[in-house]
Amino acid sequence: MNNNTNEKNRHYQLASDLTIHRIVNGMWQVAGGHGYIDHELAIEDMMKYHEASFTSWDMADIYGPAEDLIGQFRRRLCEIKGKAELDRIQALTKWVPQPEKITYPIVKEKIQKSLNRMGVDSLDLLQFHWWDYNNPYYIDALKYLSSLRDEGIIKHIGLTNFDTDRMRLIVDSGLEFVTNQIQYSIIDRRPEVKMMSFCKEHNIKLLAYGSLCGGLISERYLRRTQQPSATDLDTLSLRKYKKMIDMWGGWSLFQELLSTLDEIAQKYNVNIANVATRYILEKPAVAGVIVGVRLGISEHRNSNAQVFNFSLDKSDYDAIDTVHTKSNNLFDMVGDCGDEYR
Ligand SMILES: NC(=O)c1ccc[n+]([C@@H]2O[C@H](COP(=O)([O-])OP(=O)(O)OC[C@H]3O[C@@H](n4cnc5c(N)ncnc54)[C@H](OP(=O)(O)O)[C@@H]3O)[C@@H](O)[C@H]2O)c1
């Protein structure tokens, strides 16, 4: 692949005024449960991601200091490189309210708080989460968010962890959104059951998370015949996705998958995480994969840049899918995307 193709391949235009890097830096990892985050080291690391062209960030109002870190990072970048450099950043956040009566002043106040923390005049993408479908106020919330979008305070509305049926209901209500952020990995392919075709039909894009299962889909766990112990699983993310692997088919089937991914990785001179990321990026309707970053603790920038230097072929897909056919059906067990939270 030449450099030109590589560059084009790295970005995705979600809207006329919003183009993201296809690997988005995920900031749940600064919210606690992923090791101690030193804020000064975190900002230095954010600079390095930016320099390496990883300019898209995913955060939430509930991810501890994530929105404040973006604000501090923007101020630092502006001091060093000037205001124009800030236009290269895409900061995607979420609003995760309690399921209660939602009014316009509540929405306005919450969004204003995120604007203040992030040091921006408008949010690039506000992704909305709702815990309880039995509480109908999510439609009101989306109407008020749409008003804020019309006022220019939010550029685009996205959803997170909504199932296909509710996406349809929202579309049928005449409310517009550009993305749904959901768990999507080689292990968890629930989006392929219903959501993907709906997204294609309505030009809605998916932002995938959990695609590396918190780091379990990597060489670190290859050929480990023994399951990792509770102390090995030292982040919330590892614990969350280990449960998913157990439901999917267990540790020995997971080892079979890692061996298959390893063979493919060696063929392209990349690593297992690269193959797992590429696999999801090549799926229809997927705009980007959000890869968690433990700022100031660990980094995989050079490795993740390799994702744009190769493509998977049919034999790779077949090999991965052969392992997958031996797994349990997560859609039947858990439900559609997001049902794991409800
Ligand atoms: N909407 C939601 O409900 C929701 C839920 C979960 C996550 N998310 C979003 O998705 C983001 C992703 O988080 P996640 O928990 O799903 O984790 P993930 O992206 O599946 O895993 C991240 C971990 O993978 C490892 N890794 C990354 N690149 C690698 C490479 N090239 N080679 C080997 N290992 C690599 C790193 O582990 P080490 O640091 O140990 O090296 C990193 O911490 C979150 O930050 C958040 O923004 C959203």
Side-chain angles (χ1 to χ4, degrees):
M1 212 175 276
N2 66 36
N3 278 344
N4 231 352
T5 324
N6 182 345
E7 268 317 300
K8 272 195 217 153
N9 204 358
R10 271 177 172 251
H11 295 98
Y12 196 99
Q13 187 169 12
L14 275 177
S16 58
D17 58 350
L18 182 58
T19 297
I20 58 165
H21 193 287
R22 295 199 77 198
I23 293 184
V24 178
N25 311 315
M27 295 186 78
W28 174 41
Q29 277 67 11
V30 304
H34 291 85
Y36 172 73
I37 304 293
D38 177 302
H39 285 205
E40 185 49 39
L41 288 180
I43 301 290
E44 282 171 23
D45 225 7
M46 290 174 88
M47 291 289 188
K48 291 180 190 158
Y49 279 92
H50 185 85
E51 289 299 327
S53 297
F54 291 103
T55 56
S56 303
W57 301 87
D58 179 71
M59 68 213 83
D61 58 338
I62 57 164
Y63 287 179
E67 290 185 338
D68 306 304
L69 285 172
I70 280 286
Q72 287 171 38
F73 162 61
R74 284 173 53 85
R75 282 192 290 281
R76 181 79 59 88
L77 192 65
C78 185
E79 279 162 24
I80 297 171
K81 295 226 161 182
K83 201 160 180 280
E85 187 66 16
L86 299 182
D87 294 343
R88 289 186 58 217
I89 304 172
Q90 301 81 44
L92 324 176
T93 194
K94 307 185 192 83
W95 178 39
V96 186
Q98 287 306 309
E100 56 196 11
K101 184 172 165 43
I102 301 285
T103 62
Y104 178 77
I106 291 176
V107 181
K108 179 117 196 212
E109 187 197 320
K110 296 292 180 189
I111 298 305
Q112 189 58 51
K113 195 170 172 196
S114 290
L115 292 170
N116 295 346
R117 293 177 74 191
M118 293 163 68
V120 293
D121 298 328
S122 69
L123 301 178
D124 291 328
L125 181 71
L126 185 278
Q127 304 160 101
F128 175 66
H129 177 97
W130 191 250
W131 295 107
D132 178 11
Y133 295 138
N134 292 322
N135 180 319
Y137 281 111
Y138 64 95
I139 293 290
D140 284 1
L142 281 163
K143 282 184 186 156
Y144 299 135
L145 288 171
S146 304
S147 303
L148 294 179
R149 182 192 52 211
D150 297 343
E151 290 169 36
I153 293 171
I154 294 170
K155 289 196 185 104
H156 300 283
I157 295 171
L159 303 176
T160 179
N161 298 315
F162 272 75
D163 67 10
T164 315
D165 292 346
R166 269 64 184 202
M167 288 170 82
R168 184 174 291 109
L169 194 148
I170 293 165
V171 167
D172 290 347
S173 308
L175 295 161
E176 284 177 23
F177 57 96
V178 294
T179 52
N180 191 21
Q181 182 183 134
I182 38 86
Q183 188 177 142
Y184 190 11
S185 67
I186 288 180
I187 300 280
D188 181 1
R189 302 206 199 164
R190 289 175 294 153
E192 294 169 13
V193 181
K194 282 166 90 173
M195 192 168 287
M196 199 163 268
S197 57
F198 179 81
C199 287
K200 278 184 358 195
E201 194 184 328
H202 294 277
N203 195 25
I204 294 161
K205 304 300 171 202
L206 294 174
L207 292 171
Y209 65 79
S211 308
L212 301 181
C213 286
L216 284 159
I217 305 186
S218 71
E219 277 72 7
R220 204 186 311 163
Y221 296 91
L222 179 66
R223 286 187 274 277
R224 281 225 209 160
T225 46
Q226 295 286 329
Q227 307 224 17
S229 66
T231 40
D232 282 340
L233 301 172
D234 60 358
T235 68
L236 288 180
S237 184
L238 287 168
R239 292 203 278 280
K240 172 186 169 91
Y241 297 115
K242 171 64 168 52
K243 282 190 203 137
M244 203 43 82
I245 288 169
D246 292 344
M247 258 192 285
W248 169 79
W251 194 250
S252 83
L253 187 61
F254 182 61
Q255 283 303 316
E256 197 177 325
L257 177 64
L258 286 183
S259 297
T260 303
L261 296 178
D262 184 43
E263 275 174 34
I264 299 169
Q266 292 192 28
K267 177 169 138 189
Y268 298 107
N269 203 15
V270 295
N271 75 12
I272 288 176
N274 298 149
V275 175
T277 307
R278 188 78 232 166
Y279 183 89
I280 299 301
L281 281 180
E282 287 181 2
K283 292 285 183 176
V286 171
V289 167
I290 307 169
V291 174
V293 290
R294 295 204 290 152
L295 294 171
I297 298 178
S298 62
E299 64 87 13
H300 302 274
R301 286 181 288 269
N302 287 341
S303 165
N304 286 335
Q306 297 305 315
V307 167
F308 304 103
N309 289 333
F310 74 107
S311 299
L312 298 171
D313 65 24
K314 183 169 180 315
S315 68
D316 305 326
Y317 275 96
D318 289 348
I320 293 169
D321 292 348
T322 301
V323 182
H324 190 71
T325 52
K326 300 177 194 171
S327 69
N328 298 319
N329 184 329
L330 284 181
F331 191 94
D332 287 348
M333 294 168 83
V334 185
D336 200 354
C337 302
D339 285 0
E340 63 274 30
Y341 292 105
R342 298 187 175 92

